[in-house]
């Protein structure tokens, strides 16, 4: 029983320490979010001054089913022709992250095929350097890209949709 009490006290103290670390990290993330919001607003204002306003219409939709309920690397969305959805429309999960395009539409629903569908190839731009690459969908929301050995690509780099660098398609999380 004595060893149980010691283990409990050390376990409790490690949890308290971890909780404090997480609270500090949460505070830093909140400050980063404030910085991000300020920079995002400034960026939008600068684009407006340069006449670079986003002119596309956005349709917000519910996800009715996703893998494994829907076919691999697809989502069934709760908006269709009646909402203005058309085959080929791009699909976003946020203002700046693009994930796929509409592949099929009915009156009230649509199917979004992810760019990460196995074997799908897409051109991307490395945001940091402006270099072009072709990424290949590996399925399960993953991509692979083969680059020359001396390519300047590092963990955390953003790969953006060509034509508009505002839309991130992927982020590098492993370099072999």
């Amino acid at each position: 029983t004595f060893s149980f009490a010691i283990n409990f006290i050390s376990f409790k103290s490690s949890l308290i320490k971890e909780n404090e670390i997480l609270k500090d990290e949460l505070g830093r993330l909140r400050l980063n979010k404030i910085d991000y919001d300020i920079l995002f607003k400034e960026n939008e204002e600068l684009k407006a001054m340069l006449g670079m306003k986003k002119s596309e219409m956005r349709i917000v939709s519910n996800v009715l089913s996703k893998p494994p309920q829907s076919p691999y690397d697809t989502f069934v969305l709760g908006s269709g022709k009646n909402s203005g959805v058309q085959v080929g429309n791009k699909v976003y999960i946020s203002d700046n992250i693009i994930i796929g395009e509409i592949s099929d539409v009915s009156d009230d629903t649509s199917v979004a095929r992810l760019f990460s569908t196995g074997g799908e190839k897409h051109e991307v731009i490395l945001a940091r350097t402006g270099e072009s690459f072709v990424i290949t969908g590996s399925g399960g929301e993953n991509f692979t890209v083969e680059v020359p050995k001396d390519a300047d690509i590092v963990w955390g780099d953003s790969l953006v949709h060509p034509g508009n660098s505002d839309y991130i398609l992927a982020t590098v999380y492993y370099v072999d």
Side-chain angles (χ1 to χ4, degrees):
T1 58
F2 182 69
S3 65
F4 174 76
I6 291 174
N7 287 338
F8 177 75
I9 291 170
S10 65
F11 177 70
K12 184 177 178 182
S13 67
S14 69
L15 285 178
I16 291 170
K17 190 176 194 178
E18 182 180 2
N19 190 19
E20 290 300 318
I21 291 169
L22 290 173
K23 284 180 182 178
D24 288 343
E25 184 177 349
L26 180 61
R28 283 191 304 275
L29 290 173
R30 285 183 176 150
L31 291 174
N32 286 346
K33 171 78 169 88
I34 291 169
D35 287 344
Y36 171 82
D37 290 342
I38 291 168
L39 291 172
F40 185 81
K41 183 178 180 191
E42 180 181 329
N43 188 311
E44 291 298 312
E45 291 170 355
L46 288 170
K47 286 179 184 178
M49 287 177 9
L50 294 172
M52 297 173 55
K53 289 186 179 182
K54 292 181 183 177
S55 61
E56 64 230 10
M57 180 182 81
R58 298 283 176 109
I59 300 168
V60 178
S61 182
N62 295 339
V63 175
L64 300 179
S65 69
K66 58 185 176 183
Q69 290 78 29
S70 65
Y72 199 58
D73 279 340
T74 64
F75 290 91
V76 178
L77 304 174
S79 298
K81 290 178 188 171
N82 294 338
S83 301
V85 176
Q86 298 175 9
V87 171
N89 287 152
K90 302 300 185 221
V91 179
Y92 305 85
I93 59 170
S94 73
D95 287 339
N96 298 314
I97 301 175
I98 186 170
I99 60 169
E101 64 184 17
I102 301 298
S103 62
D104 190 32
V105 181
S106 67
D107 288 340
D108 297 315
T109 61
S110 55
V111 176
R113 187 183 75 247
L114 300 180
F115 290 137
S116 62
T117 300
E120 294 272 328
K121 295 186 181 291
H122 300 279
E123 184 179 343
V124 294
I125 309 293
L126 183 61
R128 186 172 49 81
T129 65
E131 289 180 85
S132 294
F133 297 105
V134 174
I135 60 173
T136 304
S138 301
E141 302 165 16
N142 294 296
F143 297 97
T144 58
V145 59
E146 290 188 21
V147 300
K149 186 176 184 174
D150 60 343
D152 182 17
I153 188 166
V154 296
W155 182 87
D157 275 342
S158 294
L159 301 170
V160 296
H161 195 262
N164 190 334
S165 62
D166 289 341
Y167 302 122
I168 297 171
L169 183 62
T171 302
V172 176
Y173 73 95
Y174 180 75
V175 178
D176 185 10

